[in-house]
Amino acid sequence: MGSELLLLSNSTVHGMTYLEHAMSAIQEFLGDIRKVYFAPYALADYDDYTAKAQTVFEPLGISLVGLHTQEKPQEALKEAKALFVGGGNSFRLLKSLQQLNLLEVVRQRVEAGALRYMGSSAGTNMACPTLRTTNDMPIVQPDSFASFGLIPFQINPHYIEPDPRLVYMGETRKDRLEQFLEENDVAILGMREGAWLRRSGQKLYLNGTVGARLFRRQQESVEIEAGTDLSWLLDLPARFDQK
Amino acid sequence: MGSELLLLSNSTVHGMTYLEHAMSAIQEFLGDIRKVYFAPYALADYDDYTAKAQTVFEPLGISLVGLHTQEKPQEALKEAKALFVGGGNSFRLLKSLQQLNLLEVVRQRVEAGALRYMGSSAGTNMACPTLRTTNDMPIVQPDSFASFGLIPFQINPHYIEPDPRLVYMGETRKDRLEQFLEENDVAILGMREGAWLRRSGQKLYLNGTVGARLFRRQQESVEIEAGTDLSWLLDLPARFDQK
């Protein structure tokens, strides 16, 4: 048994309700698991965020338990079968995960096939080796940018092409990802809103309602359609801080 | 004598050339100074970036010297009268400034009134206490988020309202700044492209072709017009990591 991951670019597709676009993928992913732990640390109000997520899971007969309600979140995760890490601010999320000492226990249990990991947006970024391709503002300072590292490449959630109507001189998303590649020799999958990745052991597929764009150092970026087998990305070397 | 600062939201306004919109402010700021040091560390190609900046300063009879061409940049700054910190990626810029040990020497000399500091975009962010309100991607990991701290509040460069035509579910700029205020009790000036701040001792003015938006914790954000005296911002307390 290997890692079982469901990594959503985002939680809410325009015109749909929270997680609605990915419900069938979530049900397939969880199978007969009836209890999921929820990491709400990316937003400020943990109770409110957990209650929102519960409205999606409870109608499926799945109990969603906020990790913040547990006296010892690390102990809870040692027994958990599934973890959902919600979106929000990646820096705030990573800082909390570090302070609570949750990175190593999750990594070990996911890699052992004992814990299923589902993320959306910032929660998907956390599955990468680092948060270096987040879109979020660095509102707090984590000890390190290293995150769960459940895949060996980076994801850019909410990936979007620049709007040609916009009169804005700041960097486009593509500019930012190219800056990342100047400093790091690591592939980045720019996942559009509505896309998700499903890893099952050494198999990895892009799925969802839209595609993604793959960026690699000194290569033209390429379009990846929904349904594509991306298992080869699991074997790519990742070299950070390689100027 | 106190600090002399010129902090541009951005270097290039739509439809104009590099720094063109701010030329008169730059000339007023530099006065009869004929040599300016340039910190090109926010972009990958230092020579290329310095050459671009030189095309603006040299026609004014001002010599622009890339700090990267100096064997000992810290020593050069001990004699410098003016420093221009260019835009690009704030994380890359701050990491370089830390590695070269330039933060303290610049802070001391600016506060003593011996060194004039001019920044654009990421260079303007560096003048704040931290880089926590940058828009940039965290492509490399600096040792700390603390930056020059030449003003006691934060700036968000390239500030922009969301485009109502855009179908994008990621956070707006306003969302991101509100997340910052959830974690930190520090004022943020969202400076639109074309705006700049001019500090002279204990006087601080917003100038430029457009205005700015001021965000404070538990207050409605307010519009600030070009020409406004913002000296009172220099006396506001800044409390980071205040949940």
Side-chain angles (χ1 to χ4, degrees):
Chain A
M1 299 244 304
S3 302
E4 295 288 338
L5 312 177
L6 178 64
L7 305 176
L8 310 176
S9 170
N10 60 309
S11 62
T12 314
V13 166
H14 188 78
M16 301 182 86
T17 60
Y18 183 67
L19 294 177
E20 186 182 356
H21 69 290
M23 281 315 296
S24 61
I26 292 170
Q27 288 184 274
E28 174 276 319
F29 179 68
L30 292 176
D32 55 9
I33 291 173
R34 285 291 162 269
K35 182 176 179 184
V36 173
Y37 281 94
F38 179 59
Y41 307 114
L43 290 186
D45 188 333
Y46 300 161
D47 285 336
D48 185 68
Y49 196 9
T50 304
K52 178 181 174 185
Q54 281 168 338
T55 64
V56 171
F57 287 86
E58 309 245 303
L60 305 176
I62 296 169
S63 156
L64 194 83
V65 181
L67 274 175
H68 67 293
T69 65
Q70 303 295 294
E71 205 177 326
K72 297 181 176 174
Q74 198 193 57
E75 294 301 311
L77 286 175
K78 284 182 185 167
E79 306 300 326
K81 289 188 175 162
L83 169 66
F84 172 31
V85 181
N89 183 283
S90 301
F91 291 88
R92 175 157 58 189
L93 172 58
L94 183 55
K95 188 177 179 182
S96 291
L97 294 171
Q98 287 169 349
Q99 286 177 333
L100 294 166
N101 252 312
L102 300 185
L103 288 176
E104 194 52 33
V105 60
V106 169
R107 184 183 303 120
Q108 283 179 2
R109 295 201 74 236
V110 169
E111 287 177 356
L115 175 65
R116 286 174 178 247
Y117 182 101
M118 173 180 155
S120 77
S121 194
T124 285
N125 246 139
M126 284 308 106
C128 304
T130 75
L131 61 48
R132 294 187 189 201
T133 50
T134 179
N135 307 309
D136 296 338
M137 193 166 269
I139 61 173
V140 294
Q141 184 182 330
D143 291 335
S144 155
F145 286 0
S147 46
F148 287 122
L150 307 178
I151 51 174
F153 58 93
Q154 291 288 136
I155 290 170
N156 178 243
H158 301 275
Y159 176 73
I160 191 168
E161 270 83 22
D163 187 325
R165 298 168 301 186
L166 206 61
V167 178
Y168 177 69
M169 301 298 285
E171 286 89 347
T172 65
R173 190 68 59 84
K174 186 165 171 284
D175 293 338
R176 296 174 195 278
L177 299 178
E178 284 169 356
Q179 286 182 340
F180 170 86
L181 291 174
E182 287 171 351
E183 302 290 330
N184 309 282
D185 190 358
V186 181
I188 318 161
L189 190 65
M191 290 170 64
R192 294 194 184 84
E193 294 183 345
W196 61 81
L197 275 180
R198 177 74 173 91
R199 176 177 182 175
S200 183
Q202 288 308 108
K203 287 285 176 197
L204 179 74
Y205 280 86
L206 180 74
N207 284 313
T209 58
V210 290
R213 195 134 191 115
L214 182 66
F215 296 82
R216 295 182 67 188
R217 177 178 269 199
Q218 288 167 344
Q219 297 186 19
E220 285 292 309
S221 65
V222 293
E223 191 62 26
I224 309 286
E225 290 185 13
T228 302
D229 182 345
L230 289 174
S231 306
W232 61 277
L233 281 180
L234 298 175
D235 297 318
L236 271 190
R239 287 184 285 255
F240 289 88
D241 293 316
Q242 296 287 311
K243 264 206 177 163
Chain B
M1 300 238 303
S3 303
E4 295 288 340
L5 312 177
L6 179 63
L7 305 176
L8 311 176
S9 170
N10 61 308
S11 61
T12 314
V13 166
H14 189 79
M16 300 182 85
T17 60
Y18 183 68
L19 294 177
E20 185 182 356
H21 70 290
M23 281 316 296
S24 62
I26 292 170
Q27 288 183 276
E28 174 276 319
F29 179 68
L30 292 176
D32 56 8
I33 291 173
R34 284 292 161 268
K35 184 177 177 181
V36 174
Y37 282 95
F38 179 59
Y41 307 114
L43 291 187
D45 187 332
Y46 301 161
D47 285 336
D48 184 69
Y49 195 10
T50 304
K52 178 183 175 182
Q54 281 169 338
T55 64
V56 171
F57 288 86
E58 309 244 304
L60 307 174
I62 296 168
S63 157
L64 194 83
V65 180
L67 274 176
H68 67 292
T69 66
Q70 303 296 294
E71 206 177 325
K72 296 182 176 173
Q74 197 193 57
E75 294 301 311
L77 286 174
K78 285 181 184 166
E79 305 300 325
K81 290 188 172 163
L83 170 65
F84 172 31
V85 181
N89 183 283
S90 300
F91 292 87
R92 176 156 58 189
L93 172 57
L94 183 55
K95 188 177 179 182
S96 291
L97 294 171
Q98 287 170 349
Q99 285 177 334
L100 294 165
N101 252 312
L102 299 184
L103 289 176
E104 194 52 32
V105 61
V106 169
R107 184 183 303 121
Q108 284 180 3
R109 295 200 74 235
V110 169
E111 287 176 358
L115 174 66
R116 287 174 177 247
Y117 182 101
M118 172 180 156
S120 77
S121 192
T124 285
N125 246 139
M126 283 307 106
C128 305
T130 75
L131 59 49
R132 294 188 190 202
T133 51
T134 179
N135 308 308
D136 296 336
M137 193 165 268
I139 60 173
V140 294
Q141 185 184 330
D143 290 337
S144 154
F145 286 180
S147 45
F148 286 122
L150 306 177
I151 51 175
F153 59 92
Q154 290 288 134
I155 291 171
N156 178 243
H158 300 275
Y159 176 72
I160 191 168
E161 271 84 21
D163 187 326
R165 298 168 301 185
L166 206 59
V167 178
Y168 177 70
M169 300 299 284
E171 287 88 347
T172 65
R173 189 69 58 85
K174 186 165 173 283
D175 292 338
R176 296 173 195 279
L177 298 178
E178 285 170 355
Q179 287 182 341
F180 170 85
L181 292 174
E182 287 170 351
E183 303 290 330
N184 309 283
D185 190 359
V186 181
I188 317 161
L189 190 65
M191 290 171 63
R192 294 194 185 84
E193 294 184 345
W196 61 82
L197 275 179
R198 177 73 174 90
R199 175 176 182 175
S200 181
Q202 287 309 105
K203 288 284 176 199
L204 180 74
Y205 280 85
L206 180 74
N207 284 312
T209 57
V210 290
R213 195 135 192 116
L214 182 66
F215 295 83
R216 295 182 67 188
R217 176 179 269 202
Q218 288 167 345
Q219 297 186 19
E220 286 291 309
S221 65
V222 293
E223 191 63 26
I224 309 285
E225 289 184 16
T228 301
D229 183 345
L230 288 174
S231 306
W232 61 277
L233 281 181
L234 298 174
D235 297 318
L236 272 191
R239 288 185 284 256
F240 289 88
D241 294 315
Q242 297 286 312
K243 265 205 177 166

